[in-house]
Amino acid sequence: MSSKFTSSRRTLLLASAAAVPIVAMPLGQPKAEGLEGVELQRYKPVFFSPAEWAFVMAACDRFIPAEGRGPGALETNVPVFIDQQLGEGLGNDIYLQGPHKTDAPATLGFQLPYAPQDTYRIGIKLAQQACQKQFSKPFEQLSEKDKDAFLTALQKNTVDFAAMGEPTLKASQFFGQFLGDTKNGYLADPKYGGNKDMKAWVAIGFPGARAAYTEWVDQHNRKYPLGPVSLSGKRA
């Protein structure tokens, strides 16, 4: 992620996608039966409250907006993926007992006493408080310009969670967790709730879970002629 948060972020997502183990990406093991056919507007969250869901929907829409070369996060049901992962135990294998050195360099790994669920609960609550203070309205009611500016403030820790009574979690850590999960949902297999109809795979030319395409590995600068296949066997 660049230091500046702009609406032209899709270039970065598409350019970096080839380096991600897309099919195996989800960290939890959600009960994913039937999620491939979910309609976002009819989906009932299993983890987020209605107020939290409104924030998640609005933020995902700005992380990967519906403009440009590929589909947006809402077109691909990214919020469904995040909700399912959190609801089904994402991060259950994280060691949360101390000591935690919150100022340690990133190379030392995870240093928070919070599971991802806690990060979202705390982060959304404080983000909305900051929005109310700055704009007198919740995040989902801001203009696109103000939404992008506020997300940038989270990313750069301009929104000071410590000053709001949270001494451990930084705004940038909440932002990083949220953005990372958004990318995962955008590129994961549809059985996990995101990447609806394999639209993201179609956009980047990823073949998905095809049984074999080894004959194409060494054929450089040629477009792969077949569409992607999901783990369930569906074809795009």
Side-chain angles (χ1 to χ4, degrees):
M1 189 65 187
S2 66
S3 60
K4 184 178 181 180
F5 189 84
T6 71
S7 59
S8 61
R9 297 171 293 281
R10 181 175 284 101
T11 300
L12 173 61
L13 289 168
L14 297 178
S16 62
V20 181
I22 297 173
V23 174
M25 188 177 302
L27 302 179
Q29 293 296 327
K31 298 176 182 178
E33 295 85 352
L35 290 178
E36 292 188 51
V38 165
E39 295 297 330
L40 182 59
Q41 298 305 322
R42 297 182 180 181
Y43 176 75
K44 302 298 183 183
V46 298
F47 173 78
F48 291 114
S49 69
E52 291 169 339
W53 186 243
F55 179 93
V56 169
M57 290 275 284
C60 283
D61 189 40
R62 297 315 303 155
F63 280 142
I64 310 178
E67 57 193 41
R69 177 180 169 187
L74 301 190
E75 295 175 73
T76 50
N77 281 11
V78 168
V80 175
F81 170 89
I82 297 174
D83 182 67
Q84 286 287 319
Q85 290 289 297
L86 294 171
E88 295 295 336
L90 173 65
N92 281 350
D93 57 346
I94 296 176
Y95 181 77
L96 295 177
Q97 300 300 314
H100 298 282
K101 188 173 177 57
T102 56
D103 60 346
T107 52
L108 294 185
F110 191 85
Q111 292 288 335
L112 286 175
Y114 298 137
Q117 289 83 351
D118 302 315
T119 297
Y120 275 94
R121 295 278 194 225
I122 297 170
I124 292 174
K125 178 182 177 180
L126 295 180
Q128 289 288 42
Q129 288 179 8
C131 273
Q132 287 287 353
K133 182 177 181 180
Q134 182 176 354
F135 301 101
S136 299
K137 61 179 66 174
F139 177 81
E140 62 271 16
Q141 294 181 15
L142 302 181
S143 67
E144 291 183 353
K145 180 180 178 181
D146 285 342
K147 286 176 182 174
D148 288 354
F150 186 77
L151 289 173
T152 299
L154 290 175
Q155 183 185 25
K156 294 182 176 181
N157 285 318
T158 304
V159 179
D160 189 353
F161 281 4
M164 301 171 69
E166 172 49 52
T168 302
L169 181 68
K170 295 180 180 179
S172 60
Q173 292 170 319
F174 165 57
F175 176 93
Q177 174 80 49
F178 196 171
L179 178 62
D181 292 340
T182 299
K183 292 179 180 180
N184 288 351
Y186 191 67
L187 296 170
D189 188 272
K191 71 174 289 186
Y192 296 99
N195 192 16
K196 183 174 175 59
D197 299 327
M198 294 170 274
K199 293 176 183 177
W201 288 357
V202 171
I204 65 175
F206 182 71
R210 284 190 172 274
Y213 49 92
T214 54
E215 68 274 17
W216 286 89
V217 172
D218 295 325
Q219 297 191 44
H220 305 296
N221 300 317
R222 291 188 61 189
K223 184 177 179 179
Y224 184 70
L226 303 177
V229 177
S230 70
L231 289 173
S232 69
K234 292 183 179 180
R235 299 170 183 265

